[in-house]
Amino acid sequence: MTATSLKIDYANVLDAAVGSVHGLSPAEIRAAQPQVKPVLARIERERRAGKHRYRDLATDRQMLRQVQAAVRRYQGKFENLVVLGIGGSALGNIALQTALNPPFHNLLPDTVRRGPRLFVMDNVDPVQFGNLLDVLGPSLRKTLFNVISKSGETAETAAQFLITLDLVARRLGKKSLTKHILVTTDPEGGTMRGIVEQHGFDALPVPPGVGGRFSVLSAVGLFSAGMCGIKINSLLAGAAAMGQRVAQPAVARNPAAMLALLLHAFYLRGKRLHVMMPYSYQLKDLADWYRQLWAESLGKCRDLEGQPTVVGPTPIKALGATDQHSQVQLYREGPNDKVFMFLEVERFARDVKIPRVAGMPEELGYLQGKSLGRLLNAEKRATEAALVASQRPCLTIRFPRVSEDTVGQFIMLWEAATSVMGYLLNIDPYDQPAVQLGKDYTFALMGRPGYEQQARLLKRVARAQRYTV
């Protein structure tokens, strides 16, 4: 490890901190390591066979060159960048932007902002999307749309794309479409690839073998990051450095293995709610990204042998200090069925001093002359101590600072931990079969050909729904 490496402090999950009923003993952790070690060996064998493709993105120089070339083509030509995508095609973009650009990036003047204003449209709420079109209207000629969809058949992104296509064609002319639309999609096939080839749109690849929730370190997340001034070289360098750490065969030196070991051990004890609580506004959307990664990867009803099972930890997001005032009452006095994972920043990019103000009551004297950074970290440590006093296991992932390097490390850490956790649960962490049924029903309700049987079923369900208040 170096001075810029992320560190995981898990002292407060141990029995010495929270008692033997709710904590793990060092002996238990040592005893669990032989179960994890073959999982690490298996993952490395499978990597050599071409699986776990996300682990190679950090060192994929060809992909990086493609993204950098696209950034050069568009940088400086647009005031607005709109990402059209959902789930893994959106959450990573949002997380990188929140972590690595100023919180009010879009409000900064052009002379200060490092790139275009960024809007990530990850929903089809008509009020939200309609308002965006109103906002963009006067500057549509200065707007680039990045459509992200591996297949092109995701209903939400397809609908947004059709609206955008029509808007640009009507307002700016059909010849302008190729200047204002960049598509990130499957490089070989699929509906969206056909549209790209038919219309001549510029395109970036969604890498084969990489699912959406694991794709943030590909063109899916890197293009918008690069356009907005984020150092994508450093982001990938951080991920590559963590990639070396999570390839370590020794569990005690492998942070992803240790993270999965601890959370799996608590899962077996019935602590199946995993609360991530960043004490940094910059990291709040990385917690959103983690929620999709953990939930969609690990909630499964079939094991690796195809046999019925029911597994899946529930990821929960909280934000310090905000959620001390909305959730911690439950966390301290409610069911002891959770593991808490704090994200702490040792050195903030900036700090704000609390001034000494004459005439204030002496009850406020303890704050004067301190700083907001000191207060925020004090609140983190106080909340953790309060949870530990209630025998609630806590661990901390510590950032020396929030930077491209450490954010890249964080992403690779959790992606690798997800793979390990999946195999410890004996499930496939890469599929998401339960998501498809909802998609099929949406197709049926919207009248897509080929989904008539689902439409008939939904009509029967609707007729049965007669009880209302």
Side-chain angles (χ1 to χ4, degrees), residues 133-271:
L133 298 182
D134 293 341
V135 169
L136 296 177
S139 58
L140 190 62
R141 289 188 183 276
K142 288 290 187 178
T143 300
L144 175 67
F145 295 90
N146 180 203
V147 185
I148 306 177
S149 178
K150 184 177 177 66
S151 67
E153 297 186 7
T154 302
E156 297 89 350
T157 306
Q160 293 174 339
F161 170 64
L162 292 173
I163 294 168
T164 299
L165 198 70
D166 175 71
L167 177 68
V168 174
R170 283 189 294 103
R171 297 274 186 89
L172 306 181
K174 290 184 177 180
K175 291 183 179 180
S176 296
L177 289 172
T178 55
K179 298 177 183 178
H180 292 270
I181 295 176
L182 167 69
V183 179
T184 305
T185 189
D186 190 288
E188 297 179 356
T191 299
M192 189 60 74
R193 172 52 56 180
I195 293 172
V196 166
E197 294 175 357
Q198 177 185 352
H199 291 272
F201 291 131
D202 194 3
L204 286 169
V206 175
V210 178
R213 59 189 178 273
F214 289 88
S215 68
V216 61
L217 296 177
S218 74
V220 171
L222 296 182
F223 175 74
S224 68
M227 282 288 288
C228 293
I230 293 170
K231 300 172 185 175
I232 57 178
N233 268 316
S234 298
L235 184 72
L236 294 178
M242 181 58 75
Q244 294 180 348
R245 294 177 67 189
V246 301
Q248 287 284 337
V251 176
R253 294 198 298 271
N254 183 320
M258 185 57 70
L259 194 55
L261 181 157
L262 296 172
L263 294 174
H264 182 253
F266 281 117
Y267 183 87
L268 297 179
R269 285 190 174 206
K271 295 185 189 299

Side-chain angles (χ1 to χ4, degrees), residues 33 48 107 140 271 281 406 428:
Q33 291 184 26
R48 291 193 290 271
L107 299 180
L140 190 62
K271 295 185 189 299
Y281 181 91
T406 56
D428 181 353

Side-chain angles (χ1 to χ4, degrees), residues 319-345:
L319 175 64
T322 302
D323 288 319
Q324 290 172 205
H325 301 272
S326 68
Q327 298 178 28
V328 167
Q329 173 64 36
L330 168 68
Y331 293 162
R332 284 201 65 208
E333 295 190 1
N336 196 340
D337 54 0
K338 305 169 189 68
V339 182
F340 297 91
M341 302 174 293
F342 294 101
L343 308 184
E344 181 180 359
V345 179

Side-chain angles (χ1 to χ4, degrees), residues 250-308:
V251 176
R253 294 198 298 271
N254 183 320
M258 185 57 70
L259 194 55
L261 181 157
L262 296 172
L263 294 174
H264 182 253
F266 281 117
Y267 183 87
L268 297 179
R269 285 190 174 206
K271 295 185 189 299
R272 299 180 175 185
L273 306 180
H274 297 168
V275 181
M276 180 173 286
M277 194 167 186
Y279 272 75
S280 164
Y281 181 91
Q282 291 177 272
L283 302 178
K284 74 180 185 69
D285 290 326
L286 279 170
D288 267 348
W289 169 84
Y290 146 80
R291 284 193 305 179
Q292 183 200 8
L293 181 71
W294 209 238
E296 200 167 69
S297 299
L298 302 178
K300 301 293 165 66
C301 70
R302 296 279 174 182
D303 65 19
L304 287 171
E305 289 73 45
Q307 298 302 309

Side-chain angles (χ1 to χ4, degrees), residues 407-465:
V407 169
Q409 291 180 53
F410 181 87
I411 290 168
M412 184 60 71
L413 168 66
W414 276 101
E415 289 179 342
T418 300
S419 298
V420 178
M421 185 71 165
Y423 283 174
L424 289 175
L425 293 170
N426 195 37
I427 52 93
D428 181 353
Y430 302 120
D431 65 356
Q432 56 274 347
V435 177
Q436 189 58 46
L437 186 59
K439 291 182 178 181
D440 291 347
Y441 285 165
T442 299
F443 294 153
L445 289 167
M446 295 300 288
R448 180 173 177 174
Y451 293 84
E452 291 79 11
Q453 182 177 349
Q454 291 91 334
R456 288 192 292 271
L457 172 63
L458 289 167
K459 285 181 181 178
R460 289 198 297 273
V461 172
R463 284 196 296 271
Q465 293 174 344

